[in-house]
């Protein structure tokens, strides 16, 4: 957990979860010797990479524990061995730490795995069987599904529901011993006599153990039966002395089983009191992304993106490589708040938080993304004049950066028009008695356009200008020149040639997979453009993960994978303003 000891009074925003915790603190609900009164947990399944939706849960659970002087556990729900891997464990640990949180308190590390509790979970399952609260069901999967009913039809009791406890216990032990095939038997909870008529489908004798002859990434082949999530989760919470089990709204209908299970096991003396309580909040739905693990994996497997950390992906590793900062994601999560109502958050809110975080931090730099040669015909060949610009215009104490102006420069292609449109104040050539435009080269001289060159295909290859020697920015004579155009440039002699990747949103539709649509049909063909750019020479010192504002273009980061010493590759993090605004 973060070492920041913010108090609730200093918390960024109020919400109903804070109100619950404040009430419990005032009532002394969770006063226990040697334990904080607020213990939360973040319990991902290690079957994929975390995405932006998980970031909200991370910030809620770790943030509330931090703000109320408690602790938050990281616990892996590793009960599904066929889909889980240590690769996912490692990336989840790394992502939570990168977001600014950890799970240490008083030199104790609160990192747990559901598989730590396999033996205890099994013992509690036997307790439920012996006490008439669970039974082994031997129906086929098809019959079990049919007899479960649906939202409009009550379920039907399994023919094995009245199986004697001794018989169920013997079968359950045989299941553990590996004497049956996958799916041959299953252990189900017996909640009440009329449970199969419950309007809540999760209360219709839910499965709590199934047979899976599969290798587990931590326990190997020690087990061939594995507990279900709805069974494992509340027990894990109780064993870890969690006070507030915070989860998203899709688990609201699971809460009655959560409460029933803990209440039913409490007489067995398995847990300290009081047991945890579950509270639900709205999950994060962001426009222009998909967060389904299946669909994200499809993007990776089909080569639509380069991997889980592709900067167009909404995964935390993708956001990190794109150039997002932990602070910007935390700021975003604070701004959207916590509520009980599901809603869609526009991607522009996330991008706005990113800009607000980067603006005061990012040093400025000059980059020409689509270069066009500019030749100052009357500038002495082979000479250069040093120009300066602040590292950050609002923080003069950060110093200045220097770069030379020479006879040949690079400018942006759209800074020249053969026939200027109305209100165009950049470069255009003379036309009859009308002289060419006068433009200031930012931090340099005022120049006047005198002509241009074309190749055989008619494409403009160079713009010619003359400069006024007494017009250099910062000198007394510069005040004599009043021009409307002011453009950026880099010296062709000293510029750093670099690959720049212009990333945009991966989808063109706000909800690309809504209503069962084919989300691949909404892919943005312009989500990535790679350009060969020229940067001011000092950018050769940029290191991986270093962020800059390329003046006029947006915020960029040196790619953390492909950048090499002296040869950075840059990703566009975001534009200077919302280019998707209507």
């Amino acid at each position: 957990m973060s070492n920041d000891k913010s108090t609730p009074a200093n918390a960024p925003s109020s919400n109903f979860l804070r109100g619950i915790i404040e009430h419990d603190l005032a009532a002394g609900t969770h006063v226990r010797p040697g334990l904080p009164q607020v213990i939360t947990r973040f319990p991902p399944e290690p079957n994929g990479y975390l995405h932006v939706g998980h970031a909200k849960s991370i910030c809620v659970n770790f943030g509330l524990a931090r703000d109320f002087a408690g602790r938050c556990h990281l616990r892996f729900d590793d009960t599904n061995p066929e889909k889980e891997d240590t690769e996912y464990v490692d990336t989840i640990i790394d992502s939570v730490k990168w977001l600014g949180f950890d799970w240490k308190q008083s030199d104790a590390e609160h990192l747990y795995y559901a598989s730590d509790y396999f033996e205890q979970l099994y013992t509690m399952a036997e307790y439920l069987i012996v006490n008439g609260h669970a039974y082994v069901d031997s129906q086929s999967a098809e019959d079990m599904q049919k007899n479960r009913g649906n939202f409009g039809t009550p379920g039907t009791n399994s023919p094995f529901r009245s199986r004697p406890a001794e018989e169920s216990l013997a079968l359950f032990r045989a299941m553990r011993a590996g004497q049956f095939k996958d799916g041959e038997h299953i252990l189900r909870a017996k909640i009440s006599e009329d449970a199969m008529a419950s309007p809540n489908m999760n209360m219709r004798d839910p499965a709590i153990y199934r047979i899976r002859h599969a290798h587990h990434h931590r326990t190997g082949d020690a087990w061939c039966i594995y507990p279900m999530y709805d069974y494992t989760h509340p027990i894990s919470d109780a064993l870890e002395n969690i006070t507030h089990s915070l989860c998203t709204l899709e688990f609201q209908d699971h809460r009655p089983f959560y409460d029933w299970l803990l209440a039913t096991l409490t007489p067995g003396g398995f847990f300290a009191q009081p047991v945890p309580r579950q509270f639900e909040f709205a999950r994060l739905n962001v426009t222009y992304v998909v967060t389904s693990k299946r669909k994200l994996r499809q993007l990776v497997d089909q080569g639509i993106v380069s991997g889980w950390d592709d900067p167009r992906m909404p995964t935390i590793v993708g956001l990190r490589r794109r150039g997002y900062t932990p602070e910007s994601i935390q700021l975003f999560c604070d701004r959207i708040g916590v509520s009980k109502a599901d809603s869609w958050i526009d991607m522009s809110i996330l991008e706005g938080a990113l800009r607000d975080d980067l603006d005061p931090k990012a040093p400025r730099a000059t980059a020409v993304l689509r270069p066009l040669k500019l030749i100052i015909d009357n500038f002495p060949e082979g000479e250069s004049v040093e120009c300066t610009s602040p590292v950050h215009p609002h923080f003069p104490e950060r110093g200045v950066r220097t770069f030379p102006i020479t006879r040949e420069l690079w400018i942006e292609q759209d800074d020249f028009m053969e026939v200027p449109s109305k209100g165009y104040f950049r470069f255009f050539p003379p036309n009859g008695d009308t002289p060419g435009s006068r433009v200031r080269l930012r931090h340099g001289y005022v120049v006047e356009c005198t002509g241009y060159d074309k190749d055989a295909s008619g494409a403009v290859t160079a713009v010619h200008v003359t400069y006024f020697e007494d017009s250099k920015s910062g000198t007394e004579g510069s005040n004599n020149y009043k021009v409307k155009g002011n453009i950026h440039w880099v010296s062709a002699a000293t510029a750093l040639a670099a690959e720049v990747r212009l990333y945009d949103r991966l989808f063109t539709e706000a909800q690309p997979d809504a209503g069962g649509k084919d989300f691949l049909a909404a892919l943005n063909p312009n989500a990535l453009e790679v350009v060969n750019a020229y940067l001011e020479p000092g950018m050769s010192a940029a290191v991986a993960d270093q962020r800059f504002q390329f003046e006029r273009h947006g915020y960029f980061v040196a790619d953390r994978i492909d950048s090499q010493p002296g040869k950075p590759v840059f990703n566009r993090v975001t534009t200077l303003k919302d280019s998707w605004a209507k």
Side-chain angles (χ1 to χ4, degrees):
M1 200 173 59
S2 172
N3 292 324
D4 180 9
K5 300 298 183 181
S6 300
T7 65
N10 295 327
S13 61
S14 181
N15 58 63
F16 79 97
L17 292 177
R18 289 182 180 276
I20 289 169
I21 293 174
E22 288 167 355
H23 175 272
D24 287 347
L25 289 173
T29 304
H30 298 284
V31 174
R32 295 168 293 182
L35 292 172
Q37 295 186 59
V38 177
I39 305 177
T40 60
R41 83 293 166 271
F42 174 63
E45 182 181 0
N47 65 349
Y49 285 72
L50 299 182
H51 53 67
V52 64
H54 294 112
K56 178 179 178 180
S57 291
I58 292 170
C59 290
V60 167
N61 280 285
F62 281 93
L64 286 170
R66 172 199 63 204
D67 293 345
F68 289 96
R71 73 181 186 221
C72 183
H73 297 181
L74 176 62
R75 181 177 71 238
F76 289 98
D77 168 38
D78 56 344
T79 61
N80 193 0
E82 295 163 311
K83 295 185 178 181
E84 297 160 1
D85 196 275
T86 53
E87 172 193 352
Y88 302 129
V89 171
D90 293 341
T91 187
I92 289 169
I93 288 174
D94 185 59
S95 292
V96 176
K97 286 184 175 180
W98 176 75
L99 277 173
F101 301 104
D102 65 58
W103 38 91
K104 292 182 180 179
Q105 188 182 60
S106 302
D107 298 324
E109 187 171 271
H110 297 282
L111 173 64
Y112 303 99
Y113 297 81
S115 54
D116 293 338
Y117 311 127
F118 277 176
E119 196 65 51
Q120 291 159 285
L121 289 160
Y122 177 83
T123 299
M124 292 182 211
E126 285 203 351
Y127 174 87
L128 293 174
I129 294 171
V130 169
N131 287 275
H133 300 301
Y135 64 98
V136 171
D137 193 349
S138 305
Q139 294 181 94
S140 67
E142 294 76 14
D143 285 344
M144 193 179 305
Q145 179 65 30
K146 181 177 65 175
N147 291 334
R148 192 165 179 252
N150 54 47
F151 288 106
T153 305
T156 303
N157 284 346
S158 164
F160 302 97
R161 197 174 198 266
S162 57
R163 176 174 259 162
E166 296 79 8
E167 184 180 339
S168 280
L169 185 61
L171 283 168
F172 189 52
R173 289 174 175 173
M175 287 166 60
R176 175 176 181 172
Q179 297 178 19
F180 303 111
K181 298 176 182 178
D182 289 6
E184 202 167 344
H185 301 287
I186 195 166
L187 184 67
R188 299 176 71 179
K190 188 191 294 186
I191 293 175
S192 65
E193 288 306 311
D194 60 349
M196 295 304 291
S198 173
N200 185 340
M201 298 290 290
N202 298 290
M203 298 296 281
R204 295 183 183 180
D205 287 6
I208 57 178
Y209 262 93
R210 78 283 204 198
I211 302 171
R212 285 289 184 275
H213 290 273
H215 185 82
H216 190 279
H217 69 101
R218 293 187 74 238
T219 61
D221 298 315
W223 293 87
C224 61
I225 59 171
Y226 290 94
M228 305 297 286
Y229 175 82
D230 277 357
Y231 175 75
T232 306
H233 179 226
I235 293 175
S236 300
D237 282 352
L239 291 173
E240 293 175 22
N241 296 304
I242 301 302
T243 59
H244 301 82
S245 183
L246 310 177
C247 54
T248 46
L249 280 175
E250 62 262 37
F251 294 100
Q252 181 170 280
D253 289 342
H254 300 242
R255 183 174 6 116
F257 180 65
Y258 184 106
D259 294 339
W260 175 87
L261 183 61
L262 295 186
T264 305
L265 289 171
T266 290
F270 297 110
F271 316 125
Q273 297 298 310
V275 294
R277 292 176 60 202
Q278 176 177 301
F279 303 95
E280 306 86 18
F281 61 93
R283 65 180 295 170
L284 175 59
N285 299 303
V286 182
T287 58
Y288 297 99
V289 301
V290 296
T291 54
S292 158
K293 288 181 181 178
R294 178 183 63 81
K295 292 172 182 176
L296 293 176
R297 183 178 296 278
Q298 187 176 345
L299 292 171
V300 174
D301 291 346
Q302 293 185 10
I304 295 168
V305 296
S306 61
W308 290 98
D309 67 345
D310 187 296
R312 292 166 291 181
M313 290 280 274
T315 54
I316 292 179
V317 291
L319 293 171
R320 181 180 184 180
R321 190 173 178 187
R322 175 76 170 259
Y324 276 78
T325 62
E327 296 83 3
S328 67
I329 296 174
Q330 289 191 40
L331 177 61
F332 167 68
C333 290
D334 180 56
R335 284 180 174 175
I336 62 176
V338 177
S339 74
K340 295 182 180 181
D342 272 327
S343 62
W344 284 88
I345 304 298
D346 195 85
M347 174 61 80
S348 63
I349 306 298
L350 176 58
E351 293 167 340
L354 176 62
R355 294 185 189 99
D356 289 346
D357 181 60
L358 288 180
D359 181 58
K361 295 178 178 178
R364 282 15 181 192
T366 303
V368 175
L369 302 185
R370 295 176 175 83
L372 173 63
K373 183 68 65 71
L374 182 123
I375 302 171
I376 309 175
D377 292 318
N378 62 336
F379 195 93
E381 193 144 13
E383 292 190 15
S384 66
V385 175
E386 187 176 88
C387 299
T388 62
S389 179
V391 171
H392 196 294
H394 304 306
F395 300 98
E397 66 275 11
R398 297 185 190 176
V400 297
R401 60 192 207 271
T402 60
F403 40 87
I405 190 168
T406 54
R407 187 172 188 269
E408 293 190 358
L409 310 175
W410 294 112
I411 62 171
E412 294 287 349
Q413 292 175 10
D414 60 5
D415 284 341
F416 174 79
M417 292 185 71
E418 293 181 68
V419 180
S421 57
K422 184 178 181 180
Y424 187 80
F425 299 119
R426 286 168 273 176
F427 287 114
F428 53 83
N431 183 10
D433 295 333
T434 304
S437 61
R438 287 190 179 187
V439 175
R440 177 171 293 282
L441 299 173
R442 197 157 183 250
H443 311 298
Y445 297 96
V446 171
V447 296
E448 182 174 303
C449 184
T450 58
Y452 57 97
D453 300 330
K454 282 186 173 183
D455 62 17
S457 67
V460 175
T461 58
V463 175
H464 290 267
V465 299
T466 58
Y467 87 113
F468 300 93
E469 191 173 359
D470 62 345
S471 66
K472 187 171 184 291
S473 295
T475 66
E476 187 174 341
S478 67
N479 295 329
N480 297 325
Y481 294 85
K482 306 298 181 184
V483 295
K484 293 182 178 181
N486 191 334
I487 69 164
H488 71 282
W489 53 273
V490 293
S491 163
T494 64
L496 172 70
E499 178 180 310
V500 175
R501 301 163 180 171
L502 304 178
Y503 288 103
D504 206 337
R505 300 178 185 180
L506 187 55
F507 297 98
T508 57
E509 294 186 23
Q511 298 179 30
D513 57 352
K517 292 185 296 187
D518 177 10
F519 71 105
L520 297 180
L523 284 168
N524 180 5
N526 301 313
L528 171 60
E529 179 186 3
V530 180
V531 298
N532 296 312
Y534 290 104
L535 317 179
E536 64 180 71
M539 294 302 292
S540 62
V543 297
D545 285 331
Q546 189 173 5
R547 300 166 184 85
F548 299 87
Q549 185 193 105
F550 288 179
E551 293 171 321
R552 179 173 166 182
H553 293 301
Y555 294 97
F556 291 75
V557 65
D559 187 85
R560 63 193 322 266
I561 305 298
D562 296 331
S563 293
Q564 302 294 327
K567 193 177 180 181
V569 173
F570 286 94
N571 302 329
R572 182 170 66 191
V573 190
T574 189
T575 52
L576 290 176
K577 60 182 180 179
D578 182 9
S579 59
W580 288 71
K582 294 181 179 180

